[in-house]
Amino acid sequence: MKEQLYTIPVNDAFNKECECPVCEMYETLQKNAIDFTMGPSYMEEDVRMVTDQAGFCSNHIKLLYENQNRLGLALMLKTHMDRSIKETEKLLQQKQAMGGGFFKKKEGVHPVVDYTRSLEHTCFVCDKIKGMFELYLTSFFYLYRKEDEFRKKFRASKGFCTKHFGMLYDLAERHLNGAMLEEFRSEIGTLYVDNMKRVRDDLEWFTDKFDYRYVNEPWKNSKDALPRTIRKTNSVPVEDK
């Protein structure tokens, strides 16, 4: 099959034995974004301007910390804090100049609150992932429309997590139409439900194995049922210990 732009990572994800190929795509992008952020780029002025302004979400700050480049992370957070302090002081001065104090009831939201809330919804790593992830999803639908071989991979997959099942079901009408849209939604719905039932049954047997009546029975496919369930229900990778 002739590979088109961005179809290689999509095919790679569907070639893996996994409970959600879309999670695999996202996590590859996330790893690349973390590596980029913690690599030599953190010293580049244009990158630091963005990280100073956006900061990082709670999920990605943990992953950045785990990367072990503590100096790089410290330098980025120091200049991010410098900017946050400067912006906050500016907003506080504006408020004081307007009069009324902090406890005067006014319509609307205090500008300091607006600023702090905005920081809760910005993340350099999230932004770096977002554009490429959208291109991957566009490539997914391109392959579904154009390539019989890919449709076979799709139908043979182990389905998707709940989040990405809903995402693909919703996005389908932007990329497909007519009979193909109906076919896709029927197929992905069946894939999702059948594979949720498969994992649910494995999870049920996993719990049964804690009952003394089944202690000598084989585990079947249930030993890793809990991390696979967490992948299905919460889109989170968990190591089986």
Side-chain angles (χ1 to χ4, degrees):
M1 182 176 72
K2 184 180 179 182
E3 298 284 7
Q4 304 291 330
L5 188 62
Y6 303 120
T7 63
I8 293 175
V10 176
N11 269 307
D12 286 347
F14 275 86
N15 287 335
K16 291 184 178 179
E17 281 284 320
C18 63
E19 295 293 350
C20 181
V22 181
C23 282
E24 292 288 331
M25 290 183 236
Y26 182 87
E27 283 156 18
T28 298
L29 287 172
Q30 180 173 254
K31 180 183 182 303
N32 293 340
I34 294 292
D35 289 345
F36 173 84
T37 306
M38 290 285 86
S41 64
Y42 75 84
M43 293 300 294
E44 296 175 9
E45 186 176 352
D46 57 337
V47 173
R48 287 289 282 279
M49 285 179 62
V50 182
T51 60
D52 287 353
Q53 181 173 353
F56 305 101
C57 68
S58 57
N59 176 49
H60 288 135
I61 196 69
K62 292 177 184 177
L63 295 178
L64 292 167
Y65 185 76
E66 291 168 5
N67 183 268
Q68 298 298 315
N69 183 356
R70 303 292 167 80
L71 174 60
L73 184 57
L75 289 169
M76 283 189 289
L77 290 178
K78 190 270 180 186
T79 52
H80 170 63
M81 291 177 75
D82 287 342
R83 181 185 174 94
S84 299
I85 292 167
K86 182 178 179 181
E87 291 297 319
T88 302
E89 287 180 333
K90 188 188 302 181
L91 291 170
L92 290 171
Q93 289 171 357
Q94 290 175 2
K95 179 64 179 177
Q96 289 169 351
M98 290 168 59
F102 290 110
F103 301 102
K104 182 177 179 180
K105 192 172 181 179
K106 293 176 66 67
E107 292 184 3
V109 178
H110 191 294
V112 169
V113 176
D114 269 337
Y115 176 66
T116 55
R117 284 178 180 172
S118 72
L119 290 178
E120 294 176 13
H121 302 287
T122 57
C123 173
F124 176 78
V125 178
C126 286
D127 290 344
K128 191 160 185 62
I129 294 169
K130 183 180 177 182
M132 285 301 299
F133 187 58
E134 290 173 353
L135 289 172
Y136 280 15
L137 294 178
T138 297
S139 298
F140 163 82
F141 284 107
Y142 168 83
L143 286 167
Y144 185 88
R145 287 197 315 269
K146 300 291 186 180
E147 302 287 353
D148 290 338
E149 184 179 335
F150 180 77
R151 284 196 292 275
K152 290 177 184 177
K153 288 182 185 180
F154 168 76
R155 292 163 184 156
S157 73
K158 293 183 176 181
F160 304 88
C161 68
T162 299
K163 175 183 177 179
H164 291 134
F165 160 65
M167 183 182 293
L168 293 173
Y169 198 94
D170 179 46
L171 287 173
E173 63 184 1
R174 300 186 193 178
H175 300 275
L176 308 172
N177 52 55
M180 183 166 280
L181 173 60
E182 292 182 13
E183 180 183 32
F184 173 80
R185 282 185 162 172
S186 174
E187 288 179 343
I188 197 171
T190 299
L191 267 174
Y192 172 74
V193 172
D194 286 352
N195 283 283
M196 286 289 281
K197 289 179 179 178
R198 170 181 57 80
V199 176
R200 184 274 318 275
D201 292 346
D202 289 343
L203 186 68
E204 183 177 21
W205 184 244
F206 176 84
T207 62
D208 286 344
K209 280 290 293 173
F210 287 84
D211 188 320
Y212 74 93
R213 293 173 297 174
Y214 302 102
V215 67
N216 293 319
E217 296 294 326
W219 281 91
K220 303 178 184 178
N221 294 321
S222 70
K223 280 192 173 181
D224 64 344
L226 190 54
R228 287 190 289 114
T229 298
I230 292 170
R231 166 66 86 190
K232 287 292 194 190
T233 58
N234 292 83
S235 313
V236 175
V238 178
E239 291 186 12
D240 186 25
K241 297 182 179 180

